[in-house]
Amino acid sequence: MGLKRIHFGFFFFVVLLIACKNNEEAVLTDAQKDSAHACMQVPQRFGAQADSSIAFGGDSSYANMVLIPGGSFEMGGDNDQAAEDEFPKHTVTIAPFYMDVTEVTNAQFKKFVDATKYITTAERKPNWEELKKTVPPGTPKPADSLLVAASLVFKQSKGPVNLNDYNQWWSWVTGANWKQPQGPGSSIKGKENYPVVHVSWDDAMAYCKWAGKRLPTEAEWEFAARGGRINQIYPWGNEPVNQGKPKTNSWEGNFPYYNEQKDGYLKYAPVKMFGCNNYGLFDMAGNVWEWCSDWYHHDYYKTLEKTNSPNPSGPNKSYDPQDPYTPKRVLRGGSFLCNDAYCSGYRVARRMKSSPDTGLEHTGFRCVRDIAKP
């Protein structure tokens, strides 16, 4: 994208989308030019939220999981859609592990909440003292009426919009959370088999602790998504996402205002509605973004060039030049909002990032478990 001028005015929703301003104009830097694909560029709201009260729930089985055999592969971008942070391609070796067949569902997450009484990030009031640490210096405090328990909900626009202006398709909705995905009046009744959404990385980590599992590393996730295919673009191979029969839940048409819904869904879909990859994993492309354990660093792959890295766990710290104030974790797999004109998130090498205490309507997760030692 070429240089564009953006207007900066302040209200809390815009702060959450890193479009902060004081009625001034700013020119995008080179690092910010390609911000359209960074569709979850939001600042930290709470700081670390480790919950020491969460205990293991006692289920150590591998039910609803599949064994990922492990091996070596070339990690990184496969085609001309790849972003700079997907290069250089590098060799990684992964040990065998088990992975959830699907994204964690509403029913599974409800069992966790019922057992632990856990309160998710979206159900808690934001803390301005923590928030202001991760937004540009001088950002004014929003009104207290805006510092409420809420989350970001997708809203379909009425026509073409500037894809760098996130508030054209995200709404900061009071009361939106995993139980009320679109806000008050909505529910997950009848959607027990849908992926849980509005979960932060902190929420996912709490669930993993209770389930006796963990989040996959970014390398494990990509290896599993590839399903043994060598240098292929998607979990199903190289056929473009919109050719042939529907292969995943994505945005078909002109984002964010017209979705042809050839796959049958405007937003996210129940799990297992589309074919699995060669490892038996469903929805490794599209539906909802999935949290990984790694910190995000834009040039981390450069540190692994010309090496064979065994089980890499990511960088020691986060850095995103598009948003240097906010530490971020990696997400993978794309969502129902992805299409080739916007973020092509369903590519197996596609990297996304967000602050660990942020959840949105298109964000979920799946877990992995190490093989028990005899």
Side-chain angles (χ1 to χ4, degrees):
M1 297 183 180
L3 287 176
K4 296 182 179 179
R5 300 183 72 82
I6 56 175
H7 292 282
F8 287 118
F10 182 85
F11 54 98
F12 188 59
F13 169 62
V14 179
V15 169
L16 287 173
L17 299 178
I18 306 296
C20 308
K21 63 165 176 107
N22 283 317
N23 296 319
E24 298 175 351
E25 292 186 337
V27 177
L28 292 178
T29 66
D30 289 342
Q32 293 169 319
K33 290 178 187 177
D34 188 26
S35 62
H37 73 263
C39 60
M40 292 183 300
Q41 197 167 304
V42 290
Q44 196 166 340
R45 295 198 297 174
F46 295 92
Q49 289 293 326
D51 191 334
S52 60
S53 68
I54 301 297
F56 173 47
D59 182 2
S60 58
S61 73
Y62 297 110
N64 301 312
M65 306 186 83
V66 293
L67 177 64
I68 308 301
S72 297
F73 76 110
E74 294 298 307
M75 185 173 181
D78 297 301
N79 68 349
D80 59 7
Q81 290 177 303
E84 183 180 356
D85 66 358
E86 297 175 45
F87 293 109
K89 215 168 175 70
H90 54 284
T91 302
V92 169
T93 299
I94 297 297
F97 62 97
Y98 281 88
M99 187 175 228
D100 288 347
V101 171
T102 71
E103 295 143 342
V104 173
T105 64
N106 285 322
Q108 291 170 318
F109 198 77
K110 183 178 185 300
K111 185 180 292 186
F112 155 67
V113 171
D114 288 346
T116 63
K117 311 306 178 186
Y118 181 79
I119 299 173
T120 63
T121 299
E123 296 171 275
R124 288 182 261 129
K125 179 180 176 180
N127 184 331
W128 173 243
E129 293 305 312
E130 293 296 332
L131 172 62
K132 71 181 182 181
K133 297 175 184 177
T134 55
V135 296
T139 298
K141 180 184 176 182
D144 288 341
S145 62
L146 295 174
L147 290 169
V148 295
S151 192
L152 291 167
V153 175
F154 171 72
K155 62 175 182 179
Q156 191 171 359
S157 69
K158 295 180 179 179
V161 299
N162 177 357
L163 294 183
N164 283 323
D165 186 1
Y166 310 112
N167 69 355
Q168 296 296 320
W169 62 90
W170 286 115
S171 292
W172 177 243
V173 177
T174 301
N177 54 55
W178 74 276
K179 294 179 290 188
Q180 302 179 145
Q182 285 79 50
S186 64
S187 77
I188 57 172
K189 185 176 181 180
K191 295 184 176 181
E192 290 78 10
N193 203 35
Y194 280 64
V196 65
V197 293
H198 293 293
V199 286
S200 67
W201 186 88
D202 297 324
D203 299 334
M205 289 291 286
Y207 177 94
C208 286
K209 184 177 179 181
W210 173 79
K213 300 179 181 181
R214 59 179 176 83
L215 289 176
T217 66
E218 184 176 16
E220 288 173 332
W221 194 100
E222 184 172 322
F223 180 83
R226 290 181 178 275
R229 297 180 184 272
I230 299 174
N231 296 330
Q232 303 284 288
I233 301 172
Y234 311 103
W236 57 81
N238 284 328
E239 183 178 66
V241 65
N242 292 323
Q243 287 186 14
K245 66 180 182 180
K247 294 173 281 291
T248 185
N249 180 18
S250 64
W251 190 274
E252 300 159 300
N254 299 312
F255 181 82
Y257 62 95
Y258 175 63
N259 188 342
E260 297 175 1
Q261 298 185 55
K262 292 180 180 178
D263 56 27
Y265 299 93
L266 175 65
K267 293 191 176 184
Y268 50 103
V271 299
K272 293 188 177 182
M273 295 304 294
F274 303 90
C276 61
N277 74 355
N278 286 345
Y279 288 155
L281 299 168
F282 292 84
D283 298 314
M284 295 299 282
N287 216 18
V288 298
W289 286 100
E290 300 179 13
W291 288 109
C292 294
S293 60
D294 307 39
W295 286 113
Y296 172 82
H297 199 294
H298 75 114
D299 63 0
Y300 173 60
Y301 284 12
K302 294 178 182 178
T303 68
L304 304 179
E305 187 175 11
K306 298 179 181 179
T307 65
N308 186 335
S309 303
N311 302 306
S313 57
N316 293 326
K317 62 181 180 179
S318 171
Y319 181 69
D320 177 8
Q322 293 179 343
D323 179 20
Y325 300 97
T326 307
K328 297 176 180 176
R329 297 284 182 174
V330 173
L331 301 102
R332 288 301 201 103
S335 78
F336 62 85
L337 296 182
C338 290
N339 70 3
D340 282 341
Y342 181 55
C343 74
S344 63
Y346 29 65
R347 293 183 295 104
V348 289
R350 186 55 156 142
R351 308 179 72 200
M352 192 52 68
K353 69 273 188 174
S354 188
S355 62
D357 57 3
T358 294
L360 301 94
E361 194 187 8
H362 68 346
T363 306
F365 69 106
R366 76 177 72 212
C367 307
V368 300
R369 176 173 273 159
D370 295 322
I371 296 175
K373 297 180 180 179

